[in-house]
Amino acid sequence: MTYLELSEDGGGSHKFYEVTVVGTQVTITYGRIGEAGQTKVAGFPTEAKAQAAAAKKIGEKARKGYAPAVRGVRQRRAVTRRAIASTRSTARQAPVLWRFDTGDAAFGIFVDEERCWVGNQRGDVYTVTHSGTVTGRFRLPDGVKCIVADDFWIYAGCDDGRVYDLSGKVPRAAYEIAADVDIYWLDIHDGVLGVSDRAGRVTTIDYEDEFQWARPGTGTSAWMVRCDEDAVYHGHSNGVARYDAADGRVVWESSVADQVLFGWQEEHSVYAGTGRRTVHRLAKGDGRGEAVYQCDGAVYSCATSPGGRHVFAGDNHSSVYCFDASGERLWKLGTGCGSAFSMQFLDDRLYIVTTDGSLVCIDASEAAIAAARAGTVPQPFDVKAAASLEVVEPSVVVETVSAGADAGDGVVVECVREGERLRVRVVSPGYESWNVQFPKDVREAGAQYIVEGLRSAGRGGFYRAYGNIRRLL
């Protein structure tokens, strides 16, 4: 057995590579130092060929800077999280309808027409109805950095460097970020993931979990990344930049908004919340400043109502703000439960997740805000998760069937290896040779799947049914 490590200063690579030879079998285990890592096993015709293959792998890593080490001496690198500096607001209390204590500081939030998603630093992800009933709980292996959506798929980025698909019955590892990337924030559009990190870089990864491009950026601490069909918008300590989504080419850079701590986007504009107590609206086309929204503290989060008609912000003094599109401040109120790390607006309600781990629903209607500014607020309802609520953890266990088995009315898909890549493709007749995206751990399992209820005509019908595949998994 040969054990190697590569650990660089300044937040660079911190990973291991282990090669074990037993007879004609070579086992390679690799990953982040302090974690179990991934394992691959290969067989060879003779022991000599197994030894030669192992020596080749070790030589390749040594040329990249890996060196012999002792497992356990170096520890897992500490994960970077936002420094929690939150004081109590002196503003009047906001009209909180309900609040849910997740048990730890929370960063991740996503709200759609059906439910609210919230994830905390312990790795807990809950689903809560708009009326304040906890309906589901996932337990991920590490702290949740953020929760993002791509059509009807929901993804959670975690401190273990993986992005989990929460759209099915159990979480699945859908993307794995490079071992030297300390994730700060994620966004996704049409299956392509954008990652901003501690070092100020931005990286994109496609739906097959394959690296697309990366750019170093001109600053550090990149908390902002937003993706659309054409571009990736990236904010860090020195400003905001737009990169071409296809090849990472720099389209524009702006230093108007620096010390960026959060980002939001609408169709034609991006919004950067900063440590300078401001939110800046920048034109997507050329990066010019369109408006500035002035707060009284460092802006941890921001969001807009549809079309950017109203702009919301949360500062490090546990206050939330509302501005009109031009920049005029309409109101400032206190949360009563910490500073908003993330927020989202939907149907006259502002949903926030806070430094004390609360998911909070604020009534942002004109009548409720007017009453709150006059000193009248409702008694908030404290949401509790039922003790009997099932905790669902990630799994790669799936039902399998051989390609020759009776698929009934279903469609058979199989894992195939193409060089170094594992892909999933349809083998039932009538679907040509279409490839399908499945979570990486499922592809790694090398299994074949039957999914019920997939008998659709044409390519469009296939992709609509593909959504049901993901949900079943």
Side-chain angles (χ1 to χ4, degrees):
M1 187 270 285
T2 301
Y3 179 80
L4 308 172
E5 288 183 348
L6 174 62
S7 184
E8 300 171 334
D9 296 332
S13 297
H14 192 65
K15 47 194 177 181
F16 74 91
Y17 194 84
E18 182 183 85
V19 181
T20 303
V21 182
V22 178
T24 60
Q25 182 173 288
V26 177
T27 302
I28 296 174
T29 305
Y30 61 96
R32 291 173 173 82
I33 293 173
E35 297 183 4
Q38 300 183 62
T39 298
K40 292 184 177 180
V41 180
F44 296 87
T46 66
E47 292 186 9
K49 289 187 176 180
Q51 292 286 352
K56 180 180 178 181
K57 291 291 186 182
I58 294 167
E60 290 173 353
K61 292 301 176 182
R63 288 190 290 275
K64 292 181 179 180
Y66 283 77
V70 177
R71 182 187 289 273
V73 174
R74 287 193 180 98
Q75 299 300 307
R76 178 179 177 180
R77 181 173 285 159
V79 173
T80 302
R81 295 190 173 107
R82 290 190 186 183
I84 299 176
S86 178
T87 57
R88 188 172 183 83
S89 176
T90 57
R92 288 186 180 272
Q93 174 62 44
V96 173
L97 297 178
W98 54 261
R99 58 196 175 202
F100 170 54
D101 182 3
T102 70
D104 207 337
F107 299 104
I109 182 175
F110 178 75
V111 182
D112 58 23
E113 297 293 340
E114 297 180 7
R115 64 182 74 85
C116 312
W117 297 77
V118 59
N120 67 21
Q121 287 186 172
R122 287 195 316 208
D124 293 317
V125 177
Y126 295 90
T127 57
V128 186
T129 67
H130 294 295
S131 60
T133 300
V134 181
T135 56
R137 180 181 179 184
F138 298 96
R139 171 64 58 80
L140 300 181
D142 215 329
V144 176
K145 269 287 199 292
C146 58
I147 299 176
V148 295
D150 191 21
D151 199 359
F152 48 73
W153 295 300
I154 305 294
Y155 297 95
C158 289
D159 286 332
D160 66 355
R162 295 179 178 90
V163 179
Y164 292 88
D165 181 356
L166 306 180
S167 309
K169 294 179 180 179
V170 296
R172 302 279 182 188
Y175 299 84
E176 181 153 357
I177 314 304
D180 60 345
V181 174
D182 187 353
I183 300 171
Y184 268 20
W185 206 256
L186 305 168
D187 199 17
I188 190 168
H189 178 79
D190 199 21
V192 178
L193 185 74
V195 184
S196 58
D197 66 29
R198 175 185 179 183
R201 293 172 297 190
V202 59
T203 304
T204 63
I205 302 168
D206 74 3
Y207 56 85
E208 288 286 357
D209 194 22
E210 293 167 2
F211 171 84
Q212 293 293 284
W213 54 262
R215 295 293 177 267
T218 58
T220 61
S221 302
W223 286 111
M224 171 185 172
V225 61
R226 292 292 175 182
C227 305
D228 64 19
E229 183 177 359
D230 302 313
V232 176
Y233 305 91
H234 183 230
H236 45 69
S237 61
N238 289 336
V240 180
R242 169 177 168 157
Y243 296 94
D244 185 271
D247 58 14
R249 174 179 53 86
V250 177
V251 178
W252 54 257
E253 292 181 290
S254 172
S255 59
V256 170
D258 63 354
Q259 297 185 24
V260 178
L261 298 178
F262 197 81
W264 188 260
Q265 70 171 329
E266 285 289 339
E267 183 178 1
H268 301 295
S269 302
V270 288
Y271 299 77
T274 77
R276 295 190 181 277
R277 306 183 176 186
T278 55
V279 178
H280 291 258
R281 188 176 90 228
L282 306 175
K284 283 187 171 181
D286 56 13
R288 60 186 168 81
E290 296 179 320
V292 179
Y293 309 88
Q294 186 68 51
C295 301
D296 300 324
V299 178
Y300 280 168
S301 59
C302 57
T304 65
S305 62
R309 180 168 176 261
H310 292 103
V311 177
F312 301 92
D315 72 9
N316 63 341
H317 298 309
S318 304
S319 298
V320 289
Y321 303 77
C322 178
F323 304 87
D324 68 13
S326 68
E328 179 184 354
R329 184 191 293 185
L330 302 179
W331 50 261
K332 170 187 174 182
L333 296 168
T335 69
C337 50
S339 299
F341 268 151
S342 298
M343 59 171 56
Q344 191 171 338
F345 177 87
L346 181 68
D347 295 337
D348 277 344
R349 293 185 175 187
L350 183 65
Y351 298 87
I352 64 173
V353 288
T354 70
T355 50
D356 74 356
S358 296
L359 169 63
V360 181
C361 176
I362 298 172
D363 187 345
S365 65
E366 291 186 11
I369 294 300
R373 297 179 71 183
T376 302
V377 294
Q379 178 64 36
F381 168 63
D382 285 317
V383 175
K384 302 293 183 183
S388 59
L389 188 67
E390 179 185 6
V391 180
V392 182
E393 299 187 2
S395 171
V396 296
V397 177
V398 295
E399 295 182 4
T400 66
V401 66
S402 65
D406 181 11
D409 291 331
V411 169
V412 175
V413 297
E414 67 176 359
C415 285
V416 293
R417 181 172 295 279
E418 296 179 1
E420 295 296 318
R421 300 174 179 176
L422 279 172
R423 302 200 184 275
V424 179
R425 69 184 181 191
V426 183
V427 296
S428 291
Y431 295 97
E432 302 173 11
S433 56
W434 299 341
N435 290 327
V436 186
Q437 179 196 1
F438 275 80
K440 182 175 181 178
D441 285 346
V442 175
R443 298 200 307 271
E444 293 285 353
Q448 297 170 326
Y449 308 95
I450 286 186
V451 182
E452 297 180 4
L454 182 56
R455 181 64 71 188
S456 307
R459 180 181 290 267
F462 175 81
Y463 282 114
R464 284 193 298 273
Y466 165 50
N468 295 327
I469 295 177
R470 295 287 294 272
R471 284 195 171 93
L472 287 168
L473 286 170

